[in-house]
Amino acid sequence: MLRHLLAVLAIIMLVLPASAPAQEAEIDRSATGGAQTLDDILRRQNQQPVDDSFRSDNIGGDAATVPELGPLGGASDSDLWRAVRYGKADITVSTRNQTGKILVQDGGMWWLEFRQGPLVKYGSWLLLGTIVLLAVFYLLRGRVRVEGGMSGRTITRFKFVERMAHWLLAGSFILLGLTGLLSLLGRMFIAPFLGREVNATLLLASKFIHNNVAWAFILGLVMVFVMWVWHNIPNRLDLTWFRHAGGIIGKSHPPAKKFNAGQKIVFWSVILLGGSISLSGLSLLFPFELPLFAKTFGILNDIGLPGWLGMDPLPVRISPQEEMQYAQLWHAIVAFGLMAVIIGHIYIGTLGMEGAFDAMKDGEVDEAWAHQHHSIWLEEEKTRAAGAATPAE
């Protein structure tokens, strides 16, 4: 009889697990007073789901239910911030913008790590590498001289309004670049050596200059575009200029109009990269008012660009805080690229080419320089001047 009873119990034990799924055992949190346990931590590390209700629902109560807290109103600091994190806190804000109610956003660590790591590392190497390459090039090539020397006769290359727009754009960009680098690198490279107070003072000054000089940069960008865009449309002469490397490497100087192919590259780099920097900068100046990336990512996904690059689809559900993080990173990345271009432009316009700086100093250039680098433009200007000097019949 006993043997038959044990056989029946064995069959029941075998059948029950197959017929009814085993229920996940509830984690015992009595030892931690309701807080998370080692089991919670291990499940999270193993990427297993964790029931956070023991935290999200534990946000305190009123003073009557928790009298020992007294004037705190039944909610301790940990209860309060837990409620804030899970969006359950009763928060009153003075702004109508709903993003103002988000006090704690813990999804930005990727942004902080990228900002302090790859952005600083590769951005710094880009600028330093550009300077080193230009120094090596100067040692190998030397300065591009005017063959046969200067003629002593000058011709007007840029009018006052053109030079004003150029220097407005150039001066504001230099200030923006320096203050941007201080804001990005100050905590890592200034505070440890000069102290936090010095770094804080520099950051406050940088923020004020950066936010206000940005408007001068945008104005200069618009002025330069309007005045010079028609002179920077690509044409067949640019192909000849590229074949001869602009005369910088060899001795042959190809003909060019007011702007050669190299200057056109700088122009469109400034317009496109500077325009992108300005747009992302406006998004940062007016937080949460000008989201740029969610819609852009959606368009790129529709085109199929991530798939072409072997990437997963880009995120289209982006919080307002993440929009600002993307805008800051894009702003800095594009700024690093434009700074590298401008360093090369400054080299050519000063140390790299004889007579080039005169064009932006007082607007007058030597005719021998103009004939060597912009021969077609020189002939057009002489023809125009001769026509204006000839009295009408």
Side-chain angles (χ1 to χ4, degrees):
M1 184 70 179
L2 180 59
R3 184 173 57 187
H4 292 295
L5 180 59
L6 292 175
V8 171
L9 290 175
I11 293 174
I12 293 175
M13 294 296 292
L14 291 173
V15 171
L16 281 179
S19 59
Q23 299 296 321
E24 181 179 318
E26 184 177 352
I27 298 176
D28 181 14
R29 297 190 177 88
S30 59
T32 61
Q36 71 173 342
T37 66
L38 179 60
D39 290 333
D40 293 316
I41 298 174
L42 292 175
R43 289 181 64 83
R44 190 175 291 110
Q45 289 178 345
N46 293 327
Q47 298 183 347
Q48 295 176 335
V50 177
D51 182 6
D52 267 356
S53 59
F54 73 95
R55 303 174 70 185
S56 62
D57 294 340
N58 185 20
I59 57 175
D62 55 27
T65 59
V66 193
E68 63 271 16
L69 293 180
L72 290 179
S76 65
D77 286 347
S78 60
D79 294 332
L80 173 62
W81 289 111
R82 192 180 298 115
V84 168
R85 176 178 179 183
Y86 288 97
K88 296 185 177 182
D90 184 14
I91 299 173
T92 301
V93 294
S94 59
T95 177
R96 289 180 293 178
N97 192 326
Q98 293 300 308
T99 58
K101 294 184 178 181
I102 303 176
L103 301 184
V104 176
Q105 192 260 144
D106 59 358
M109 289 307 299
W110 69 270
W111 164 80
L112 181 63
E113 291 172 356
F114 185 89
R115 184 177 184 271
Q116 294 179 341
L119 179 61
V120 171
K121 176 181 178 181
Y122 295 112
S124 302
W125 277 116
L126 175 63
L127 298 185
L128 292 175
T130 301
I131 294 173
V132 170
L133 287 176
L134 290 174
V136 173
F137 181 78
Y138 178 78
L139 293 175
L140 296 176
R141 172 61 174 84
R143 199 177 196 192
V144 178
R145 300 287 183 180
V146 175
E147 297 177 7
M150 298 294 189
S151 66
R153 301 182 304 275
T154 62
I155 184 172
T156 301
R157 178 153 172 78
F158 293 115
K159 300 177 181 178
F160 173 78
V161 66
E162 293 178 293
R163 302 198 308 277
M164 182 190 72
H166 172 273
W167 287 117
L168 177 65
L169 184 64
S172 60
F173 182 74
I174 291 173
L175 283 175
L176 291 172
L178 291 175
T179 54
L181 289 174
L182 286 174
S183 301
L184 179 64
L185 305 176
R187 183 174 295 180
M188 288 175 278
F189 297 103
I190 296 179
F193 303 100
L194 300 181
R196 294 183 178 180
E197 291 189 3
V198 173
N199 182 53
T201 302
L202 290 174
L203 288 180
L204 285 174
S206 296
K207 181 178 182 294
F208 179 81
I209 294 172
H210 204 90
N211 291 352
N212 289 279
V213 172
W215 302 107
F217 176 79
I218 295 174
L219 176 61
L221 192 69
V222 173
M223 292 178 66
V224 164
F225 176 78
V226 171
M227 289 189 296
W228 291 342
V229 61
W230 302 113
H231 298 288
N232 283 278
I233 304 299
N235 54 51
R236 293 183 178 180
L237 290 174
D238 299 332
L239 299 177
T240 303
W241 191 92
F242 283 122
R243 281 200 303 269
H244 294 275
I248 295 178
I249 297 178
K251 294 294 184 180
S252 176
H253 297 280
K257 294 187 176 183
K258 185 165 186 175
F259 295 107
N260 58 41
Q263 293 168 322
K264 290 178 181 179
I265 291 176
V266 173
F267 173 84
W268 287 111
S269 296
V270 170
I271 295 301
L272 296 178
L273 299 181
S276 182
I277 292 172
S278 300
L279 189 60
S280 59
L282 288 174
S283 179
L284 294 170
L285 280 173
F286 302 99
F288 314 120
E289 300 295 332
L290 188 61
L292 302 174
F293 289 89
K295 292 183 179 179
T296 303
F297 288 166
I299 294 173
L300 295 177
N301 287 340
D302 293 339
I303 296 174
L305 180 61
W308 300 343
L309 301 176
M311 299 168 52
D312 294 330
L314 297 171
V316 294
R317 296 178 62 87
I318 301 177
S319 70
Q321 287 73 19
E322 288 177 311
E323 283 279 359
M324 294 297 96
Q325 291 162 358
Y326 279 115
Q328 189 275 330
L329 292 181
W330 182 259
H331 191 75
I333 292 170
V334 179
F336 271 120
L338 185 55
M339 280 190 280
V341 172
I342 295 304
I343 289 173
H345 177 62
I346 293 174
Y347 165 78
I348 292 295
T350 55
L351 186 63
M353 180 179 291
E354 181 184 14
F357 184 73
D358 296 337
M360 281 300 168
K361 182 182 68 174
D362 53 21
E364 300 289 323
V365 295
D366 192 270
E367 289 189 4
W369 179 91
H371 177 74
Q372 181 169 305
H373 299 289
H374 302 275
S375 57
I376 298 178
W377 169 79
L378 177 63
E379 294 302 320
E380 290 175 346
E381 290 298 310
K382 285 185 175 181
T383 301
R384 185 179 296 109
T390 301
E393 296 182 359

